[in-house]
Amino acid sequence: MVRLEQEHLPRVVNLLPLRDGILVPRSELRMPLSLLDSLTSWTDAIKKDRLVGIVQIREEKSAKSRVEPIFRCGCLGRILDLQEGEDGGLVFSVKGICRFEIEQELPEAFPCRKAVVSYEKYERDDVQEADFVMDRKRLLDALRVYSQRLHLEPNWEELEIASNERLMSMLMMVFPFSATERQTVFETVEYTAQSRIAMLLMEMNAQGTVSTASH
């Protein structure tokens, strides 16, 4: 598989902060254009290279700042298309490319937030590892208990046949972890370690030893 060269990825990216949402490499995320800053980020990116940096909003908020606090690790995505949603609003799709770390946010870019980013820590994100090693049975067992506790009804047939990578992507993007829990898994470099952390979080949540996303 041909790898992306680091120098071909933009060092300055538009940031699109999301609340309780995340994009992971090689997965697709659909988002409504409901906020002005989202619309500004989208239109600015579409004029250039169709690339945008998806970042999670932190759960805490400072009364002194006019912008939402964000985590320092996000995912570069390519805008695929813009369509009308079922409710008549606009929805665009973004495909994840590579995780990045924010080195410096550019304050003068408000309301379209921009940052200088580095991809060095996640240089292997463009190499597909659909069947990396993980304890799949234990993870799915933990997921069943976790889902029962939160009264969720996931598509078990889809989960059972999904590759290890696809399974982890669905866990991070769809299941209701807290923002901090989701970010902890997301920032972990190696996929096997990601699966281990996600599994432990679900087991602890099921036992009530850590807070769930509803808190």
Side-chain angles (χ1 to χ4, degrees):
M1 180 176 180
V2 178
R3 297 190 57 190
L4 291 171
E5 296 295 335
Q6 294 290 313
E7 60 266 24
H8 293 165
L9 299 177
R11 284 275 287 152
V12 176
V13 300
N14 286 8
L15 298 179
L16 202 163
L18 295 182
R19 189 176 302 282
D20 296 326
I22 205 165
L23 177 68
V24 300
R26 291 180 297 280
S27 290
E28 187 174 328
L29 181 65
R30 289 173 55 82
M31 296 172 289
L33 293 180
S34 57
L35 300 176
L36 177 60
D37 58 345
S38 297
L39 180 60
T40 305
S41 295
W42 181 85
T43 52
D44 192 57
I46 205 71
K47 290 176 184 177
K48 296 179 181 178
D49 49 17
R50 303 176 70 90
L51 298 176
V52 65
I54 306 297
V55 290
Q56 256 204 134
I57 295 173
R58 288 183 176 273
E59 292 163 322
E60 75 278 3
K61 183 174 182 180
S62 172
K64 299 179 181 180
S65 175
R66 62 175 178 171
V67 297
E68 298 277 11
I70 58 176
F71 288 98
R72 308 305 292 177
C73 177
C75 184
L76 183 71
R78 183 178 301 281
I79 298 171
L80 300 178
D81 57 34
L82 177 66
Q83 299 177 345
E84 183 175 340
E86 294 180 359
D87 60 356
L90 295 177
V91 178
F92 69 91
S93 298
V94 178
K95 183 70 174 288
I97 298 175
C98 181
R99 286 173 290 176
F100 60 76
E101 293 182 295
I102 294 177
E103 294 184 342
Q104 177 186 5
E105 187 167 353
L106 306 178
E108 70 275 11
F110 185 84
C112 180
R113 298 173 70 171
K114 298 176 184 289
V116 179
V117 303
S118 169
Y119 307 93
E120 184 176 358
K121 183 176 179 180
Y122 301 103
E123 62 181 357
R124 288 186 55 81
D125 273 3
D126 57 302
V127 178
Q128 190 166 358
E129 296 187 43
D131 293 312
F132 57 89
V133 176
M134 72 177 189
D135 191 341
R136 188 181 178 97
K137 181 182 183 303
R138 182 178 170 185
L139 186 141
L140 285 173
D141 287 345
L143 180 56
R144 287 188 177 89
V145 178
Y146 179 66
S147 297
Q148 290 173 359
R149 185 171 188 264
L150 296 182
H151 306 290
L152 301 175
E153 292 294 338
N155 186 332
W156 291 109
E157 183 176 347
E158 181 181 2
L159 291 171
E160 289 284 357
I161 65 174
S163 68
N164 289 347
E165 181 192 35
R166 175 60 180 159
L167 177 58
M168 285 303 303
S169 295
M170 287 191 285
L171 283 177
M172 282 187 281
M173 295 176 65
V174 178
F175 280 78
F177 290 115
S178 71
T180 300
E181 291 168 348
R182 186 183 297 112
Q183 191 73 23
T184 298
V185 179
F186 174 75
E187 291 188 12
T188 303
V189 177
E190 297 298 332
Y191 297 140
T192 298
Q194 278 189 346
S195 69
R196 188 177 303 114
I197 292 172
M199 178 175 60
L200 291 174
L201 283 172
M202 287 188 292
E203 290 175 342
M204 289 187 294
N205 270 322
Q207 297 169 5
T209 55
V210 297
S211 62
T212 65
S214 60
H215 291 176

